[in-house]
Amino acid sequence: MTEAAEAGRDTEAVSRFVESFAAQLVEAGMQRMAARVFAALLASEEGVMTSAELGEQLQISPAAVSGAVRYLAQTHMVSREREPGSRRERYRVHGDQWYEALTNREAVIKRWEVALREGVASLGPNTKAGRRMAETLAFFEFIDAEVAAMMERWKRHREERFGGSE
Amino acid sequence: MTEAAEAGRDTEAVSRFVESFAAQLVEAGMQRMAARVFAALLASEEGVMTSAELGEQLQISPAAVSGAVRYLAQTHMVSREREPGSRRERYRVHGDQWYEALTNREAVIKRWEVALREGVASLGPNTKAGRRMAETLAFFEFIDAEVAAMMERWKRHREERFGGSE
DNA sequence: CCTTAACTTCACAAATTTCTGAAAGAAGCG
DNA sequence: CGCTTCTTTCAGAAATTTGTGAAGTTAAGG
């Protein structure tokens, strides 16, 4: 993005949004640098930024960018692209990816389910505690199935409202 | 709970479950002591424990119990009861409460929505970035509505499978 | 191949968080 | 009312987490 193209943006306002949205993400449990990088990408005009751009906007070291991006890529909230014919890397938020990442809380839920199954087994399925845990387990299993269906509905809803892809 | 009633439980196995489930909760972002206390309550036969019992099982100070319980009560994952005619307090997991607490991620989502609306305003709704954020906002609004409906379906499902209330 | 630009890894300093012991604060019970 | 038992608050020690600079690694481009 050229400086001319950048000119239309209220840098101050963007930065305020980035920091306030990042703060919300942090409060919800995300690492701080990851949250700030994500918010910056979300607010960038094209949804794409280079490592250098991120470092400059957020005033953080290359190392911090590297760490944040690794986390975001692992959790599928951001994808990395190699600018062809350059060792510069670019990071991108894809609308859909980010929704699906939220869905990936499924992975977390799966591990809870495993732990709960072991718990039911240890406590015995006919104890009160065992039954309580079995019910909790059933809840998570229910949620699992429902979330998948919900994402389907969202995709349809989105098509209607926003038209084609991204 | 008397020692005799306690006798049937494999203390070792229970403790293993408590610690492993708590670890999962921590990984998902919950404070450690809160997670351990919650897991202990979940695994307790009656779903109720006193501060002293918690302190002893988890090997933590009264202060730590106090802090954990405050957090859990604030987030509605546990309720506090005063044992009538005693200054001893008892903490309880209610099946339903705990499900609804998960739903209370709604509160978090609401705050994200506020931040995103400001973002759309700052960036301008006709910029690419503004549109991207508007779509993200729409996603959360959609989720909000869906989660409420999902909890309704769960309650019905639960009735069928487990019968009456807790 | 060698140079150089870019990203990553690592060890450490700084900041933050977490848990504790001790003291203070409630509330039952005589 | 005051004693006693339980819970909460608070200040600080300990542990953990976080972000940096610097060295290391990779790959483009001459």
Side-chain angles (χ1 to χ4, degrees):
Chain A
M1 175 175 303
T2 66
E3 282 184 29
E6 182 72 22
R9 293 164 62 88
D10 178 347
T11 317
E12 259 301 308
V14 170
S15 175
R16 259 200 313 283
F17 163 73
V18 167
E19 295 308 329
S20 88
F21 191 60
Q24 297 299 330
L25 294 174
V26 167
E27 204 158 329
M30 196 185 296
Q31 300 170 4
R32 181 176 343 182
M33 287 298 129
R36 296 180 70 210
V37 165
F38 182 74
L41 281 167
L42 198 63
S44 70
E45 188 59 13
E46 299 295 332
V48 180
M49 293 177 81
T50 65
S51 177
E53 286 166 351
L54 286 165
E56 200 208 352
Q57 172 169 352
L58 302 173
Q59 287 296 303
I60 59 182
S61 71
V65 174
S66 175
V69 157
R70 179 173 19 159
Y71 172 84
L72 291 170
Q74 268 172 3
T75 57
H76 305 284
M77 298 188 64
V78 156
S79 64
R80 354 169 48 125
E81 324 178 329
R82 210 38 167 286
E83 221 168 318
S86 161
R87 53 251 90 132
R88 203 171 251 150
E89 210 150 11
R90 306 190 325 179
Y91 309 111
R92 154 167 278 138
V93 260
H94 254 316
D96 338 32
Q97 260 177 280
W98 138 242
Y99 308 142
E100 277 164 30
L102 276 202
T103 301
N104 278 356
R105 296 203 155 274
E106 274 181 43
V108 176
I109 291 185
K110 287 290 184 221
R111 276 180 294 146
W112 289 6
E113 289 180 6
V114 170
L116 284 167
R117 271 190 210 99
E118 281 166 15
V120 174
S122 311
L123 290 162
N126 295 321
T127 60
K128 275 196 175 180
R131 279 192 293 276
R132 185 179 328 110
M133 285 184 20
E135 188 184 315
T136 303
L137 176 56
F139 174 69
F140 286 124
E141 288 168 343
F142 179 82
I143 291 294
D144 258 3
E146 289 279 316
V147 165
M150 190 164 81
M151 291 307 287
E152 278 310 311
R153 286 195 293 278
W154 161 250
K155 278 179 191 155
R156 234 174 303 130
H157 180 81
R158 177 183 181 242
E159 289 287 323
E160 279 170 30
R161 182 159 166 188
F162 296 95
S165 59
E166 175 66 347
Chain B
M1 176 175 302
T2 66
E3 282 186 29
E6 183 71 22
R9 292 163 63 87
D10 177 346
T11 316
E12 258 301 308
V14 171
S15 176
R16 257 200 315 281
F17 163 74
V18 167
E19 296 306 330
S20 87
F21 191 60
Q24 297 299 330
L25 293 174
V26 168
E27 205 157 329
M30 196 185 295
Q31 299 169 4
R32 180 172 347 178
M33 287 297 129
R36 296 180 70 209
V37 165
F38 181 74
L41 280 167
L42 198 64
S44 71
E45 188 58 10
E46 299 295 332
V48 180
M49 294 176 81
T50 66
S51 177
E53 286 166 350
L54 285 165
E56 200 208 351
Q57 171 170 351
L58 302 174
Q59 288 296 302
I60 60 181
S61 71
V65 175
S66 174
V69 157
R70 180 176 14 158
Y71 172 83
L72 290 169
Q74 269 172 4
T75 56
H76 306 284
M77 298 189 63
V78 156
S79 63
R80 355 170 46 125
E81 324 179 327
R82 211 36 167 286
E83 222 168 318
S86 159
R87 53 251 86 130
R88 201 170 252 152
E89 209 149 12
R90 306 189 326 177
Y91 309 110
R92 154 167 278 140
V93 259
H94 254 319
D96 338 33
Q97 261 175 281
W98 138 240
Y99 307 143
E100 279 165 29
L102 276 202
T103 301
N104 279 357
R105 296 203 155 275
E106 275 180 44
V108 175
I109 291 184
K110 287 289 184 221
R111 276 179 295 145
W112 290 5
E113 289 180 7
V114 170
L116 283 169
R117 270 189 212 98
E118 282 167 15
V120 174
S122 312
L123 289 163
N126 294 322
T127 59
K128 274 195 174 179
R131 278 193 292 277
R132 186 181 326 111
M133 286 183 23
E135 188 185 313
T136 303
L137 176 56
F139 174 69
F140 285 124
E141 287 169 343
F142 179 83
I143 291 293
D144 258 3
E146 289 279 316
V147 165
M150 189 164 82
M151 292 306 288
E152 278 312 309
R153 286 196 293 279
W154 161 251
K155 276 180 190 154
R156 234 174 304 131
H157 181 81
R158 177 181 180 243
E159 289 287 321
E160 280 171 30
R161 180 158 166 188
F162 295 97
S165 60
E166 178 67 343

